[in-house]
Amino acid sequence: MNVVITGGNRGIGLALAKQYKDSGAKVYVTCRNSSDELNTLGVNIITGVDVSQPETLGDRLASLLDVEIDLLINNAGVLGRESIDDWDPHTIDYQFRVNAMGPLLVSQVLLPSMSKSSKIALISSRMGSMEDNGSGGYYGYRMSKAALNAAGVSMANDLRPKGIAVGVFHPGFVQTEMVNGAGDIDTDTCAERLVARIDELNLENAGRFIHSNGDELPW
Ligand SMILES: NC(=O)c1ccc[n+]([C@@H]2O[C@H](COP(=O)([O-])OP(=O)(O)OC[C@H]3O[C@@H](n4cnc5c(N)ncnc54)[C@H](OP(=O)(O)O)[C@@H]3O)[C@@H](O)[C@H]2O)c1
């Protein structure tokens, strides 16, 4: 099995790379810059991939067009912390570029390498849910993850006829740099759960919003 993971130099992406590698998959990790931890995994590393830069993605990902991709995990993401009276259009725009447009662009560039029975996993966040938003704030993150969720449903509908299943996943509250090490599960537990959820993804259940613990989340 050939697996491509974006943003795999640290955090959840790194743990997913390790897990898939340990299970015998051939793993391709894209990142802006590699890390010591990633370098020791023995996976294929493609550096210089900034998912917020549409004009460079085609070139940077070109080597993956020779790979038959069974699974693409769009994991790279960024979190800003805007409040109602303290926000910046540029940081909100940047979160849209990374969190919403990035996964769509990467998927579009790599689509020629995917075929019937390939899968695309979008690592979103329940913070993009309207119904689940009980605390406000985080404008750029919530808006960009909601946009990613919308893209995920469209992608699931558009790619189902090609036999490609697209799923939208919330990883849980995970101890990574993004949340300053807070969180109630570690990255290995998260990766183990996400791998199980992605295994369950198929054309019938595509286009749903699933917590790594298996719960279906409201949009
Ligand atoms: N941790 C949580 O509790 C939590 C909860 C819900 C959802 N998520 C989602 O899970 C995913 C992984 O997050 P994490 O917790 O592992 O966070 P993390 O430790 O901060 O890792 C984020 C990853 O995304 C990469 N990235 C950021 N901007 C990028 C860009 N412009 N181009 C390419 N790569 C970029 C980072 O690379 P650099 O090292 O180059 O910055 C890093 O590899 C994200 O989509 C996040 O929104 C996390």
Side-chain angles (χ1 to χ4, degrees), residues 7 9-10 12 32 50-51 75 77 94 124 141 145 171-172 174 176:
N9 53 307
R10 59 188 169 100
I12 296 167
R32 293 190 286 194
D50 184 332
V51 302
N75 163 77
Y94 183 64
S124 183
Y141 193 68
K145 290 293 191 181
V174 191
T176 66

Side-chain angles (χ1 to χ4, degrees), residues 41-110:
L41 280 194
V43 300
N44 302 280
I45 302 169
I46 302 159
T47 58
V49 182
D50 184 332
V51 302
S52 73
Q53 301 294 322
E55 49 293 326
T56 64
L57 279 180
D59 280 352
R60 301 290 183 191
L61 297 174
S63 61
L64 289 173
L65 294 177
D66 296 329
V67 175
E68 284 181 18
I69 299 173
D70 299 292
L71 170 63
L72 165 63
I73 304 179
N74 282 288
N75 163 77
V78 67
L79 167 74
R81 291 180 167 76
E82 303 86 7
S83 65
I84 184 72
D85 46 18
D86 181 16
W87 61 275
D88 174 346
H90 300 292
T91 61
I92 290 187
D93 179 61
Y94 183 64
Q95 286 168 88
F96 266 102
R97 290 172 68 109
V98 176
N99 293 344
M101 247 176 336
L104 185 59
L105 282 162
V106 170
S107 303
Q108 183 191 33
V109 169
L110 296 182

Side-chain angles (χ1 to χ4, degrees), residues 109-181:
V109 169
L110 296 182
L111 208 49
S113 292
M114 287 184 255
S115 55
K116 201 167 177 297
S117 84
S118 297
K119 298 181 184 185
I120 299 176
L122 303 177
I123 305 303
S124 183
S125 169
R126 69 188 307 167
M127 287 181 73
S129 167
M130 310 295 149
E131 202 174 322
D132 200 57
N133 183 351
S135 55
Y138 296 93
Y139 286 86
Y141 193 68
R142 288 193 190 279
M143 290 159 72
S144 61
K145 290 293 191 181
L148 173 64
N149 292 355
V153 176
S154 279
M155 287 167 67
N157 286 329
D158 290 342
L159 298 181
R160 190 176 283 110
K162 293 184 195 292
I164 299 171
V166 180
V168 183
F169 299 95
H170 169 68
F173 186 30
V174 191
Q175 292 148 3
T176 66
E177 280 180 42
M178 179 172 281
V179 294
N180 299 321

